[in-house]
């Protein structure tokens, strides 16, 4: 995977521009990039894009300007919006970000556990 | 008239004028420190007599939930869904019929969006959720306002009529913040004390961010709900142990925010029993500068390893400040780092090589 730019972040979700979808990436259904069980909040991309699984994250191929929302699951339910529509939802903590057309690798910020010597996704 | 996809600029002069009036009017109601009892009673009487076909109930005005259990024993609760259904059949269906007849196409989200930010409807939705955690049967007036204001806007413009609207508005806009209904009783809960930070997020380092005198209270720091121990255990030895054991980064950030606000940076270092190892300022895209810091405890611990598996390390944290909320996060890191930027690079997703530069090129929130 050829990383081009450390592009953008919304809270602990970090976006990196890459040159193309890696051949090993496996296409998947659109889903939340991250969700917090404790707060009921989520980070999710809305708009026309394809999503792929990679180890430790996702690859996103945005076909148009998409909207990265940080919102509450109940707002999504209220709005009857789907992940296919590039719309801004009521924000939870982080304002929305426009993700322009392009290919991105997306992952979660890590924390180091000095007890186990592992790096893990941060929890919130 | 077609209001679909309208923005404020797309409104004509009289529509803009009415929208501004509505906005000011609802802001004024929000500032009301008391319930207008006569008006509220008018709304309740209409709801019970006309929609529920029940006698007018006894109304209590309160700022606590102390009597809820007692009333439960005396009368059957009326659930939120019963209110919603009654309003749907008697108010919303006739309006929708009028809209259909007149070929008006109105974007429901338009007025809602125009009002939700200045009136901070979402914040009140959070408060309503807190109350729902205590007691599920209530209705929150303010979270209903987007619907009421939507109707008010179009009624004032004369786009349709609704003879009972004044009763509906009396029910929701008389200053009763949350309403609990039983067949024979109504409890009108006064507005809570709400504390927030400069960005309008629920926040207080000293008190609950939302509280009713003698009633429920919840703690928030920079918009994130916090456990009560952050406030009650503060100042004791146990506080540090709770911080070290905590896995949730938001709660850890809450402890840091509390200690920093109470004791400043020097106090924070003392609390962490740590010292600043390195500090670097990064200029990301235009207008976004970030200060990265690296801390380590002075003491080392036999059970702690660094990323190379070497035991006998201190605790080590990389500090990040969230550009949206202003919360300070101390993320656990490997103690072999001595450079704040190199340490921050190590905490990026695993597929990013350590050698790749740390600089956001586009946006951060």
């Amino acid at each position: 995977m050829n990383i081009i730019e450390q592009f953008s972040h919304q809270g602990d979700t970090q976006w990196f521009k890459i040159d193309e979808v890696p051949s090993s990436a496996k296409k998947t259904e659109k889903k939340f990039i991250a969700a917090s069980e404790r707060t009921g909040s989520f980070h999710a991309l809305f708009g026309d894009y394809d999503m792929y699984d990679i180890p430790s994250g996702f690859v996103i191929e945005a076909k148009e300007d998409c909207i990265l929302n940080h919102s509450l699951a109940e707002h999504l339910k209220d709005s009857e919006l789907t992940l296919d529509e590039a719309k801004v939802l009521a924000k939870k903590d982080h304002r929305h970000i426009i993700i322009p057309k392009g290919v991105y690798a997306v992952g979660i910020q890590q924390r180091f556990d000095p007890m186990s010597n592992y790096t893990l996704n941060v929890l919130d | 008239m077609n209001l679909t996809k309208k923005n404020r600029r797309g409104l004509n002069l009289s529509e803009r004028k009415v929208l501004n009036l509505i906005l000011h009017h609802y802001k004024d109601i929000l500032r009301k420190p008391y319930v207008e009892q006569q008006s509220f009673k008018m709304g309740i009487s209409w709801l019970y007599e006309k929609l529920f076909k029940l006698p007018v109930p006894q109304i209590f005005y309160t700022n606590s939930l102390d009597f809820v259990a007692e009333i439960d024993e005396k009368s059957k609760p009326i659930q939120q869904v019963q209110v919603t259904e009654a309003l749907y059949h008697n108010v919303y269906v006739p309006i929708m019929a009028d809209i259909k007849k007149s070929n008006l196409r109105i974007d429901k989200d338009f007025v809602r969006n125009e009002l939700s930010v200045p009136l901070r409807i979402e914040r009140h939705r959070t408060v309503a959720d807190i109350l729902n955690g205590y007691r599920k049967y209530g209705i929150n007036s303010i979270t209903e306002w987007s619907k009421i204001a939507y109707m008010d806007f179009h009624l004032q413009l004369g786009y349709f009529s609704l003879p009972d609207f004044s009763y509906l508005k009396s029910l929701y806009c008389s200053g009763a913040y949350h309403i609990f209904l039983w067949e024979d009783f109504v409890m009108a809960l006064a507005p809570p004390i709400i504390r927030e930070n400069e960005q309008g997020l629920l926040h207080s380092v000293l008190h609950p961010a939302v509280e009713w005198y003698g009633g429920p209270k919840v703690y928030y720091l920079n918009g994130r709900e916090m456990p009560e121990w952050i406030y009650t255990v503060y100042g004791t030895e146990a506080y540090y142990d709770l911080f070290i054991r905590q896995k949730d980064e938001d709660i850890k950030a809450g402890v840091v925010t509390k200690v920093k606000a109470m004791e400043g940076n020097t106090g924070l270092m003392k609390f962490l029993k740590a010292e600043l190892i390195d500090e670097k300022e990064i200029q990301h895209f235009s207008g976004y500068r970030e200060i990265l810091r690296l801390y380590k405890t002075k003491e080392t611990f036999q059970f702690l390893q660094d990323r190379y598996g070497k035991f006998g390390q201190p605790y080590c944290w990389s500090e990040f400040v969230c550009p949206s909320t202003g919360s300070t996060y101390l993320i656990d890191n490997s103690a072999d780092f001595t450079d704040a930027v190199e340490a921050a690079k190590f905490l990026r997703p695993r597929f990013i090589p350590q050698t790749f530069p740390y600089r956001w090129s586009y946006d951060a929130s």
Side-chain angles (χ1 to χ4, degrees):
Chain A
M1 189 158 63
N2 187 21
I3 314 285
I4 299 168
E5 264 177 66
Q6 178 171 303
F7 188 68
S8 173
H9 78 89
Q10 185 185 61
D12 50 21
T13 62
Q14 303 192 342
W15 291 67
F16 299 84
K17 237 181 185 170
I18 57 175
D19 57 350
E20 59 181 1
V21 178
S23 55
S24 59
K26 201 174 160 189
K27 196 164 179 186
T28 182
E29 291 290 310
K30 285 177 176 175
K31 53 193 161 194
F32 292 168
I33 290 167
S36 166
E37 274 184 32
R38 187 176 74 86
T39 62
S41 65
F42 65 84
H43 298 268
L45 189 67
F46 291 74
D48 184 7
Y49 65 92
D50 287 333
M51 192 167 193
Y52 301 83
D53 281 325
I54 55 166
S56 316
F58 303 105
V59 164
I60 300 285
E61 186 175 17
K63 312 279 178 67
E64 59 171 4
D65 283 1
C66 295
I67 307 288
L68 179 62
N69 282 302
H70 180 237
S71 190
L72 288 170
E74 67 196 51
H75 294 161
L76 182 58
K77 206 172 138 195
D78 285 353
S79 70
E80 296 170 2
L81 192 66
T82 70
L83 296 182
D84 296 328
E85 296 163 84
K87 275 200 170 179
V88 176
L89 273 176
K91 76 165 188 173
K92 168 71 172 66
D93 300 323
H94 307 283
R95 65 176 166 73
H96 73 276
I97 286 178
I98 295 166
I99 300 292
K101 183 180 174 180
V103 187
Y104 305 88
V106 186
I108 306 295
Q109 184 169 32
Q110 302 292 293
R111 65 189 167 93
F112 176 73
D113 180 355
M115 303 268 196
S116 63
N117 186 10
Y118 278 119
T119 52
L120 305 156
N121 288 353
V122 295
L123 294 175
D124 64 12
Chain B
M1 172 63 54
N2 183 345
L3 290 180
T4 305
K5 305 284 180 201
K6 269 205 167 174
N7 54 33
R8 187 174 274 261
R9 226 178 291 160
L11 297 176
N12 65 35
L13 193 61
S14 58
E15 286 168 341
R16 267 207 304 272
K17 204 172 153 189
V18 169
L19 190 67
N20 283 334
L21 284 173
I22 295 255
L23 193 55
H24 283 111
H25 174 58
Y26 282 79
K27 269 186 178 171
D28 284 345
I29 301 172
L30 203 55
R31 281 194 281 263
K32 209 181 285 182
Y34 56 88
V35 181
E36 281 177 9
Q37 297 189 6
Q38 205 178 340
S39 169
F40 182 67
K41 192 176 176 187
M42 190 173 93
I44 286 292
S45 303
W46 167 76
L47 180 71
Y48 273 69
E49 288 185 317
K50 186 162 181 187
L51 307 195
F52 292 160
K53 313 289 182 211
L54 286 171
V56 177
Q58 191 177 343
I59 303 173
F60 294 99
Y61 298 94
T62 178
N63 56 10
S64 87
L65 301 182
D66 285 352
F67 303 107
V68 166
E70 205 178 307
I71 301 175
D72 272 345
E73 287 175 13
K74 293 182 184 163
S75 186
K76 192 179 165 194
I78 291 176
Q79 299 194 20
Q80 194 178 5
V81 65
Q82 292 171 262
V83 181
T84 312
E85 271 184 22
L87 292 176
Y88 177 78
H89 292 298
N90 292 281
V91 178
Y92 304 132
V93 169
I95 287 179
M96 292 318 285
D98 269 2
I99 290 172
K100 209 170 170 186
K101 228 182 321 180
S102 61
N103 282 330
L104 274 172
R105 289 184 63 223
I106 298 168
D107 184 356
K108 261 204 292 189
D109 290 338
F110 170 66
V111 177
R112 183 183 294 184
N113 291 342
E114 284 291 321
L115 290 168
S116 63
V117 174
L119 296 179
R120 297 184 184 166
I121 299 280
E122 293 310 322
R123 189 186 66 177
H124 293 285
R125 204 182 285 274
T126 306
V127 180
D129 287 343
I130 293 163
L131 284 165
N132 287 336
Y134 283 84
R135 167 87 188 169
K136 284 204 170 127
Y137 298 126
I139 50 174
N140 187 271
S141 303
I142 298 175
T143 53
E144 295 295 318
W145 278 11
S146 51
K147 273 186 231 155
I148 310 294
Y150 162 78
M151 287 188 261
D152 212 348
F153 175 69
H154 296 101
L155 284 164
Q156 288 196 32
L157 287 165
Y159 292 158
F160 53 79
S161 63
L162 178 67
D164 282 357
F165 182 72
S166 61
Y167 297 107
L168 181 70
K169 198 166 170 184
S170 293
L171 178 67
Y172 285 118
C173 303
S174 297
Y177 189 81
H178 207 84
I179 308 162
F180 298 100
L181 307 162
W182 291 262
E183 287 186 351
D184 309 287
F185 302 97
V186 162
M187 187 187 268
L189 191 64
I193 297 165
I194 295 179
R195 301 181 177 99
E196 57 190 23
N197 64 11
E198 285 166 0
Q199 288 127 329
L201 297 168
L202 292 175
H203 175 87
S204 173
V205 290
L206 291 174
H207 306 285
V210 182
E211 68 174 325
W212 283 264
Y213 174 72
K217 57 185 173 186
V218 284
Y219 298 86
Y220 274 76
L221 288 170
N222 296 314
R224 298 277 176 145
E225 191 176 354
M226 292 293 143
E228 195 172 18
W229 66 258
I230 288 193
Y231 297 77
T232 54
V233 184
Y234 171 74
T236 71
E237 277 297 311
Y239 208 52
Y240 181 72
D241 294 335
L242 285 167
F243 170 77
I244 289 291
R245 285 205 299 270
Q246 184 54 241
K247 297 279 183 227
D248 187 308
E249 298 298 345
D250 282 328
I251 294 174
K252 279 175 75 179
V255 173
V256 171
T257 304
K258 168 87 179 165
V259 175
K260 213 169 177 173
M262 304 297 286
E263 302 169 37
N265 278 335
T266 316
L268 179 64
M269 286 301 96
K270 201 174 155 195
F271 166 73
L272 295 172
K273 299 164 188 161
E275 55 191 346
L276 179 67
I277 301 298
D278 189 34
E279 179 179 300
K280 294 257 161 49
E281 186 172 320
I282 308 278
Q283 171 73 59
H284 296 289
F285 56 84
S286 172
Y288 177 30
R289 299 173 87 83
E290 182 181 24
I291 294 174
L292 295 171
R293 294 190 179 95
L294 182 70
Y295 302 105
K296 289 180 197 174
T297 55
K298 291 171 189 162
E299 198 181 342
T300 57
F301 301 88
Q302 270 316 309
F303 55 89
L304 296 182
Q305 310 172 56
D306 66 12
R307 62 185 161 145
Y308 300 113
K310 193 174 165 197
F311 283 90
Q313 300 295 323
Y315 282 103
C316 174
W317 298 280
S318 282
E319 181 187 288
F320 301 89
V321 177
C322 172
S324 275
T325 64
S327 286
T328 302
Y329 289 85
L330 291 178
I331 312 283
D332 288 303
N333 213 333
S334 176
D336 64 289
F337 286 111
T338 53
D339 181 290
V341 179
E342 287 305 308
K345 284 158 80 175
F346 181 62
L347 298 180
R348 293 179 298 189
R350 269 175 256 163
F351 51 76
I352 303 301
Q354 182 72 18
T355 51
F356 199 80
Y358 182 88
R359 184 165 290 118
W360 299 108
S361 61
Y362 178 67
D363 199 358
S365 79

